[in-house]
Structures are given as C-alpha cells and as structure tokens.
Amino acid sequence: MASGRTKGPVCGIENCRSKWYDEGEDGYLYCENGHRSRTLIVGQDEDDFTPAARTRTRSQRNTDEIEKVYKYFKGQQAYDLYLKCLQLILRHQIWYLVHEKGLPVELETVVFALWALRIAPLEGKIAHIHDYDSQSQVFTTDESDIEHEGDTFASASRKEKLKGMPGLTDALALCYLGILTLRLPITPGDICDWATNGKLPYLRAIKHVPKSMKERLPARYHAYLDPNGLLQFHRFHSALVDLETSMANEYGIIWPTLNRPLLLFRYLKELALPLELYNATTRLAEIIKYDFTPPMSMNSKLGIRHLPEAQLISCLVICVKLLYPFDDLRRYPMTTSEPAATTINWEEWQSHMSTYRRDSRGPALLYTKGELANLQEKDIFSMSGRQLDQYLDWYKDAFIDWERIASSEDGQFRNALYEMFPTTEDRPQESSTELPDQSTMSNKLDVVKAVHSSMHPRKAIPNEEMKEDALRPGQGYAYYRKLEDLPEQAKHFYEEAARVVGLSLDMLIKAVFFTERKIERWRKDEKRRATGQRVEDAD
C-alpha cells in the first residue's frame, strides 16, 4: 500500500502523531495507523493540464457553517450583550413616544437616567458571571415568569428587583415612570395599548436588534426579547410596583402624584360622562384620603387598592353608580340643581360607544393587532376577504425573518419565488388601525354630544312630599364583587373604564369594591363620632 517514504507533516487525526506515507492505490495518503487523508493527491499531468482548484469537502463546509451560525457569546459577554440589546429596544420605545405620540423630548433624558439607576446594581453581578450555564443567573422579572394570580403583588420580588435581570416589561415600566415624573396625562392603558396595537416595541421586539448582535446572543436571551404573548395588565403593574418601591428605597426617589385634574378630565371625555362627576370624584377622594401617590413600602403586602391609577378610576366609578346608577330603580332628588337630577340612558350610551369603536376600524372593520394575535382557527371562516388579507400581512410582518431568509443558502431562490408570487397586492395598506388625532378628537366629541343629548331630567320631590317607599339618590346602592354580579350595562361601562386606565376587568371590580369598603368604614367612623358628640353634649 505504501512505499515507506514519509511525505508531508504528521497525521493529526484523533491525536495521531505518525507521519504520512506515500499515497496508496486510491490516490490518498495513509499513515502507519491506517488513517486516510481527506484530500485526494493529484499528480502532474504529462500534457501540463492544470487541474481545478481544490475545494473543501462537505464535512468541512458544514463545520464552518455551524461555527458561523452558533458562535454566540457566553457568560459575562452574553449578559452584557443582552443589556445592550435591551437598551437599544428602549431607545426605539422612547423614539416612538416622542416622535410618534408627541410627548416632550425631556422624556428621553428622564428615562435614560432611570435606566442607569436600574442597571447600576448589576455591575458587580456581571463581574462574577463566568459560565453561561451557571445557576447564579437569576431572572426575577423576565417574560418567562409565571403569571401572577390574585389581588396582591409579591414583596419578595421587590426586595431583589434591582439585582435581577431586566426585561421588556421593565423597559415599558421605565417609560411610564418617566411619563409619571413629567406628570403627563398618559395611563398604563395607553402603554399597553401602544405595545399591543401600535409600534411601541414589545411583540417581536428582537426585530429591532441588528443581525450582528442577534448572532452573538444565546438562544436563552432571544426568548426574553421575543415574548410569545400579549402584554398583560397585571404583569405590567407588578413590574411597575417593583420598580417604584425598589428605587424609592434604594435611591430615595420620591415619585410625584398623578396629575389628577388632567387625568380625571380625560376619563370623563373618553367615557362620555357628565362634567358634574369631576367635583364629585374629587370630593370623594378627599373624604377617604386618597392622595394618588405610588406606593413606597417594601414590607407591606401591596395590592390593587394601593395603585394610584386604580384609586382614581374606582372613585369615578363609585360616583357614577351613586349619581347615575345602572339599575331601573327610580330615585328622586330634592331639587333640580342636584347632579342626580338628570339620568343617563345607558342603552344609548352603549350604542354610541359601540358605534365609535366600530367606526375606528374603518369601513372594512379591520382587526386591531391585539385581536389578530388572539385569533383562533375557527375565526378564519368568519373573516371577510379584506380581514383575511390583513391577517396574512400581519403574520408576514410579525413572524417571517427576512434577514435570515436572505442569508440562507436558498435565499436567492426564495426571493425569486416571492417576486413571482408576491404576498401583497396593489391595495392601500393600513399601517395602523388608529385614526388621525384630529379625526379621533372630533369623533370623541360627537360621542359626548350624542350621550348628553340622550340624558333626560328626573322629577324632583321635596322632603315634605316624599313617600316612604320612594328612594333618594344613593339609596339602594348596588355592590358588585364578582364579574357575574355585573348587569349588562354595568359590564360594558366597567370594560370601557378598565381599558382607558389600563386594568383588567377583574382588577377594576376588586379596586372598586375595596374603595367601597373604605367608604363604609369612613361612614361608620363618622356615625360613631357623631354619636359620641351627642352623648357629650347631653352630659
């Protein structure tokens, strides 16, 4: 097989150190241990024919490709790269809020200052991370956390909040804290709505990360930048409470109160409610001592009733139930000057609100992006042609990675197919289901006018003419502790109020009930105090 003369360097296959011998009958080199070289030895042709350039074998090409695709960072480098990717997404979020939604440019400075405070405690942790698979990496607020249940926000996570890995929800919470610091009339409902239906990066946020950074980022971190579900209200508020309390105790930050006048006026406009509710809500908040300040305590068990946003909307809902109840009972005011001297036709209110929501979808009744993400297989059969086109366009933009297709081996072939069979036609593209600001404002005012024109007066009866079985405004007040307790009209109102403020329907029901209990305790204290005063006077 071999002539005995050595040729070339040592073998090296499986740590073999023997030298290559001359080629065998098949044209390959062999060593004394029987290993065969990968390269075919091509001799000099007698006619001086120049052979083709040597190419790599398939196994070598596959090895190079695998190293190129899966050559990601580990340990400290991966941790640091993830934070840089998240910071880049945060920049996109701020850009959207400032340039698309018209918020002040100062928001960028405030949010970046909060971001610096958020990641400051991670410096020491990053320095001690050496192994990607190490169990020392603790993710306390990432997108893979189990959804919290119940009424409360766990205090254990707040104590270690600033030491844990930040996630996309933390980035959105920092944006809202910047808005809160500037006292802008923006609600958590706006943040969640923009993250679901707008361009505020959350779903498929990893698309905003450059390809060169994604290739170096381990798959574990990809999952944190690419959530597979919509943003949940409870998850957002949990991250928000954790950041508020942790930063307040760690850095001594005193968060400002909600901008109650602007927010309350906005609630009345969004829900097409009478202006008389403004003073009633303000007075009720003063009575039960709501200051609408974010919670600061680290040890107490914080719940929905401690959220300032929930406190404000619950006071408004209670005033609506007092002055314009949802039942059919007749309640007679003493004078025509009372706010309760008029009643809201809740059927008309529901009709006008539904019409406004339907008109905002356009003539084709297009879906919102949140609805597109929640569609089921059975919903396809009830779609119109335009709705089906919208769903396919959304799926293409959300889940097809064009960069990866272009860089693949058959990328040119796929692009040629897409050019032959385009996925979009020459039709107007609705980039968003949101209406222009001027049109939206005009439509909202039309709803307010229509609702107010449907209100009718209630007969006023003085005390001397009042019958024993007749009711005054506020009497026969109904408590709703569960979703099943809500009448149909009350359910629609609760849903609209929860959407505006950024709470789930269950969260709003509980917040209202907690405020009602607080009012009952205040009434008992006032009655006890009045009784004690009369006893002292008698003595």
Side-chain angles (χ1 to χ4, degrees):
M1 178 180 70
S3 61
R5 292 181 292 107
T6 61
K7 183 177 182 179
V10 296
C11 172
I13 298 178
E14 297 180 357
N15 297 324
C16 177
R17 306 303 299 171
S18 61
K19 295 184 178 181
W20 294 110
Y21 286 89
D22 288 342
E23 62 269 20
E25 297 176 355
D26 54 359
Y28 289 88
L29 290 175
Y30 285 83
C31 72
E32 60 183 3
N33 291 327
H35 297 137
R36 189 182 72 173
S37 67
R38 297 180 178 179
T39 307
L40 180 66
I41 302 301
V42 181
Q44 182 70 27
D45 188 80
E46 294 179 356
D47 296 331
D48 293 329
F49 175 77
T50 302
R54 298 179 181 179
T55 59
R56 294 175 299 170
T57 62
R58 179 174 296 180
S59 61
Q60 289 174 318
R61 289 198 303 268
N62 292 340
T63 302
D64 293 343
E65 291 173 0
I66 292 175
E67 291 177 351
K68 179 180 179 180
V69 174
Y70 294 98
K71 193 175 181 180
Y72 50 78
F73 290 154
K74 298 182 179 181
Q76 179 181 349
Q77 285 184 308
Y79 198 104
D80 181 68
L81 179 60
Y82 169 79
L83 293 179
K84 292 179 179 177
C85 292
L86 184 59
Q87 180 172 320
L88 180 61
I89 294 174
L90 181 61
R91 292 186 65 91
H92 282 278
Q93 294 173 343
I94 298 174
W95 190 95
Y96 174 78
L97 295 174
V98 173
H99 295 277
E100 294 291 333
K101 290 303 177 181
L103 300 187
V105 294
E106 292 82 4
L107 178 65
E108 181 177 1
T109 303
V110 175
V111 175
F112 281 146
L114 295 175
W115 168 255
L117 295 177
R118 172 63 181 87
I119 64 174
L122 300 179
E123 180 180 1
K125 182 177 181 181
I126 295 176
H128 292 84
I129 295 179
H130 303 286
D131 186 8
Y132 169 71
D133 296 324
S134 174
Q135 297 297 325
S136 62
Q137 300 187 28
V138 179
F139 301 89
T140 59
T141 59
D142 54 44
E143 304 306 319
S144 65
D145 284 344
I146 299 176
E147 187 69 25
H148 296 286
E149 301 292 342
D151 313 337
T152 60
F153 307 107
S155 60
S157 61
R158 295 198 299 274
K159 296 179 180 179
E160 301 295 330
K161 176 65 178 180
L162 298 181
K163 299 179 182 179
M165 170 72 79
L168 286 174
T169 310
D170 292 299
L172 294 176
L174 288 174
C175 291
Y176 180 73
L177 287 177
I179 291 172
L180 178 65
T181 302
L182 297 178
R183 305 199 72 208
L184 303 176
I186 303 298
T187 68
D190 296 326
I191 300 295
C192 295
D193 181 63
W194 296 337
T196 302
N197 299 321
K199 299 179 182 179
L200 187 62
Y202 180 77
L203 288 175
R204 299 292 296 160
I206 198 171
K207 295 176 66 175
H208 296 276
V209 178
K211 179 182 176 182
S212 58
M213 299 177 70
K214 286 190 289 187
E215 288 180 343
R216 301 293 185 178
L217 195 65
R220 179 178 183 180
Y221 293 92
H222 276 252
Y224 299 121
L225 300 179
D226 189 13
N228 56 6
L230 300 177
L231 179 63
Q232 301 296 323
F233 292 123
H234 197 289
R235 181 187 297 276
F236 176 80
H237 283 286
S238 179
L240 181 62
V241 169
D242 290 345
L243 285 175
E244 287 173 337
T245 54
S246 299
M247 289 186 172
N249 286 270
E250 182 70 20
Y251 304 113
I253 297 177
I254 301 177
W255 302 107
T257 61
L258 296 182
N259 195 338
R260 178 188 53 78
L262 290 182
L263 283 175
L264 187 54
F265 176 75
R266 182 187 169 188
Y267 293 163
L268 297 179
K269 182 180 63 175
E270 294 277 350
L271 300 174
L273 296 174
L275 193 60
E276 288 80 3
L277 288 167
Y278 183 93
N279 289 332
T281 305
T282 302
R283 178 56 181 158
L284 178 61
E286 293 175 352
I287 289 175
I288 58 179
K289 295 181 174 54
Y290 274 165
D291 57 1
F292 309 116
T293 302
M296 301 292 182
S297 175
M298 291 285 288
N299 299 322
S300 62
K301 200 172 185 181
L302 300 179
I304 297 171
R305 60 185 180 275
H306 298 102
L307 300 179
E309 299 83 3
Q311 294 174 353
L312 181 58
I313 193 64
S314 63
C315 289
L316 177 60
V317 172
I318 292 173
C319 289
V320 170
K321 293 171 64 178
L322 286 170
L323 302 180
Y324 312 102
F326 301 101
D327 52 38
D328 297 327
L329 298 178
R330 289 184 174 272
R331 298 172 176 86
Y332 301 96
M334 289 187 294
T335 63
T336 57
S337 61
E338 297 181 23
T342 57
T343 60
I344 295 179
N345 188 331
W346 288 109
E347 293 183 358
E348 291 287 336
W349 180 90
Q350 180 181 344
S351 175
H352 291 303
M353 295 297 290
S354 300
T355 301
Y356 170 72
R357 297 297 173 203
R358 184 173 62 253
D359 292 343
S360 65
R361 298 173 180 268
L365 298 179
L366 299 180
Y367 295 106
T368 64
K369 291 186 178 180
E371 292 172 339
L372 289 171
N374 289 323
L375 287 176
Q376 304 294 328
E377 293 86 348
K378 61 181 180 180
D379 298 326
I380 298 177
F381 299 101
S382 60
M383 290 184 184
S384 64
R386 185 64 195 93
Q387 289 173 337
L388 188 59
D389 289 336
Q390 183 199 14
Y391 177 74
L392 294 177
D393 292 342
W394 169 80
Y395 190 91
K396 178 197 68 174
D397 295 336
F399 296 103
I400 296 181
D401 192 345
W402 297 104
E403 292 184 356
R404 185 174 181 180
I405 291 176
S407 61
S408 61
E409 288 185 352
D410 57 347
Q412 295 181 352
F413 174 71
R414 293 189 182 186
N415 289 333
L417 285 179
Y418 289 137
E419 292 177 0
M420 295 174 60
F421 305 98
T423 57
T424 57
E425 300 176 359
D426 295 332
R427 59 175 181 269
Q429 297 293 326
E430 293 83 358
S431 59
S432 174
T433 57
E434 295 179 314
L435 297 175
D437 292 340
Q438 295 298 328
S439 177
T440 302
M441 181 64 67
S442 176
N443 291 344
K444 288 179 180 178
L445 291 178
D446 291 340
V447 174
V448 174
K449 294 177 182 178
V451 171
H452 285 204
S453 63
S454 65
M455 298 176 64
H456 54 84
R458 178 76 73 187
K459 180 181 178 181
I461 301 179
N463 286 333
E464 57 273 10
E465 300 178 10
M466 191 71 173
K467 297 180 180 180
E468 294 183 359
D469 56 346
L471 298 177
R472 290 294 191 190
Q475 293 181 338
Y477 183 87
Y479 295 89
Y480 309 126
R481 298 196 59 178
K482 298 180 296 183
L483 178 60
E484 295 78 11
D485 299 337
L486 290 175
E488 188 65 22
Q489 297 170 351
K491 181 180 179 182
H492 288 284
F493 177 78
Y494 271 61
E495 288 175 348
E496 289 293 332
R499 180 193 58 80
V500 172
V501 76
L503 298 172
S504 66
L505 186 55
D506 289 336
M507 293 173 69
L508 178 58
I509 293 173
K510 294 172 183 176
V512 172
F513 184 72
F514 286 139
T515 303
E516 290 170 340
R517 291 176 55 186
K518 190 176 182 66
I519 295 173
E520 286 297 323
R521 287 195 295 268
W522 172 83
R523 291 181 59 188
K524 292 179 180 179
D525 292 341
E526 288 294 314
K527 186 176 180 180
R528 188 182 303 110
R529 188 178 298 108
T531 303
Q533 183 67 36
R534 286 198 299 268
V535 172
E536 293 176 359
D537 293 343
D539 293 339

